């Protein structure tokens, strides 16, 4: 997976060089609602976007606009984002101590690679887009509750160690560093260079390398920023 990520990044850079004079850049940041879906063989299933399990955090983007043909553009982002969720407690086992992960935070450098269509209007452009993304895990943390008969006795914070045995969010769960999926985006570019954006992202890569569970990411984001230049000027 690391070789695929490197290859995509190199192709992406090579694509930019011939059209560097037309490329425009921008900076953007905003608010993220994320969820990590977990389903294991015991029937445990975490909640998703739109429920109380959502993790609220921030993200930051470098926007790159590359004209392709008329109103069609290639618009990749370089995004720093925190994904994760508040996880439901594991099923109670009466009379036994149970370890259950609570708050999960995973920090990623993500590259959404969207194809967008820009619709000119009087005050700017409506931006509609979609495409795949790849993400590289930089690190993370989770809170581990010790439960007895449904009561939390203690909580400890642990670092997520990608690709390190038994240091995922539960014993026996090994988290992969790489994530991939797809997203859809809606935005607006004002004539004064301000930009607004919203996106919905869904991961399709199982983050559990042991296959003892299915773990995927999803998030909804709202962004505000500014273009440093315009490719159509």
């Amino acid at each position: 997976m690391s070789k695929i990520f490197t290859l995509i990044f190199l192709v992406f850079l090579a694509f930019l060089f011939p059209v560097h004079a037309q490329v425009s850049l921008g900076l953007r940041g905003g608010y993220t609602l994320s969820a990590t879906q977990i389903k294991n063989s015991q029937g445990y299933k975490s909640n998703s976007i739109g429920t109380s399990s959502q993790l609220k955090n921030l993200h930051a983007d470098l926007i790159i606009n590359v004209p392709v043909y008329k109103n069609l553009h290639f618009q990749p982002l370089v995004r720093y984002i925190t994904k994760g969720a508040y996880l439901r407690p594991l099923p109670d086992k009466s009379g036994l101590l149970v370890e259950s992960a609570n708050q999960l935070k995973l920090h990623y450098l993500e590259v959404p690679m969207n194809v967008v269509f820009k619709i000119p209007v009087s005050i700017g452009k409506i931006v509609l887009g979609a495409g795949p993304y790849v993400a590289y895990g930089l690190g993370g943390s989770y809170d581990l509750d010790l439960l007895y008969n449904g009561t939390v006795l203690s909580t400890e914070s642990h670092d997520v160690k990608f690709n390190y045995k038994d240091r995922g969010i539960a014993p026996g769960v090994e988290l992969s560093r790489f994530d991939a999926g797809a997203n859809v985006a809606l935005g607006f570019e004002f004539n004064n260079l301000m930009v607004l954006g919203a996106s919905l992202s869904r991961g399709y890569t199982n983050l559990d390398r042991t296959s003892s569970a299915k773990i995927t990411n999803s998030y909804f984001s709202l962004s505000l920023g500014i273009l440093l230049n315009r490719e159509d000027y």
Side-chain angles (χ1 to χ4, degrees), residues 152-163:
V152 178
L153 301 180
S154 63
T155 301
E156 295 183 348
S157 182
H158 297 271
D159 292 334
V160 171
K161 301 293 187 181
F162 291 110
N163 301 331

Side-chain angles (χ1 to χ4, degrees), residues 116-150:
V116 304
F117 187 76
K118 299 186 179 184
I119 305 171
V121 294
S122 60
I123 60 173
K125 296 178 181 178
I126 301 171
V127 181
L128 305 172
Y133 78 81
V134 291
Y136 179 83
L138 302 174
S141 63
Y142 65 97
D143 293 338
L144 190 65
D145 293 335
L146 182 63
L147 304 171
Y148 183 76
N149 288 338

Side-chain angles (χ1 to χ4, degrees), residues 41-198:
S41 58
Q42 287 74 44
Y44 174 78
K45 186 176 181 180
S46 70
N47 295 321
S48 57
I49 293 292
T51 68
S52 59
S53 68
Q54 294 173 141
L55 181 71
K56 303 174 179 65
N57 222 294
L58 301 176
H59 64 271
D61 298 339
L62 169 65
I63 309 170
I64 304 168
N65 280 302
V66 183
V68 176
Y69 179 74
K70 293 186 177 180
N71 294 330
L72 193 66
H73 292 67
F74 176 51
Q75 189 183 79
L77 305 176
V78 180
R79 166 170 284 186
Y80 174 79
I81 187 169
T82 298
K83 305 180 187 182
Y86 289 97
L87 305 178
R88 293 189 297 108
L90 292 173
D92 182 36
K93 297 181 180 179
S94 182
L96 297 176
L97 291 171
V98 176
E99 287 186 334
S100 180
N102 184 351
Q103 179 178 247
L104 172 67
K105 293 183 178 180
L106 300 172
H107 310 298
Y108 289 94
L109 185 64
E110 182 175 288
V111 181
M113 293 170 284
N114 293 335
V115 174
V116 304
F117 187 76
K118 299 186 179 184
I119 305 171
V121 294
S122 60
I123 60 173
K125 296 178 181 178
I126 301 171
V127 181
L128 305 172
Y133 78 81
V134 291
Y136 179 83
L138 302 174
S141 63
Y142 65 97
D143 293 338
L144 190 65
D145 293 335
L146 182 63
L147 304 171
Y148 183 76
N149 288 338
T151 301
V152 178
L153 301 180
S154 63
T155 301
E156 295 183 348
S157 182
H158 297 271
D159 292 334
V160 171
K161 301 293 187 181
F162 291 110
N163 301 331
Y164 186 80
K165 187 177 181 181
D166 290 345
R167 290 296 291 171
I169 57 176
V173 176
E174 301 173 32
L175 293 182
S176 171
R177 186 179 295 274
F178 294 93
D179 187 18
N183 74 108
V184 293
L186 171 66
F188 197 92
E189 295 181 0
F190 291 93
N191 290 332
N192 65 2
L193 302 185
M194 284 187 60
V195 292
L196 294 174

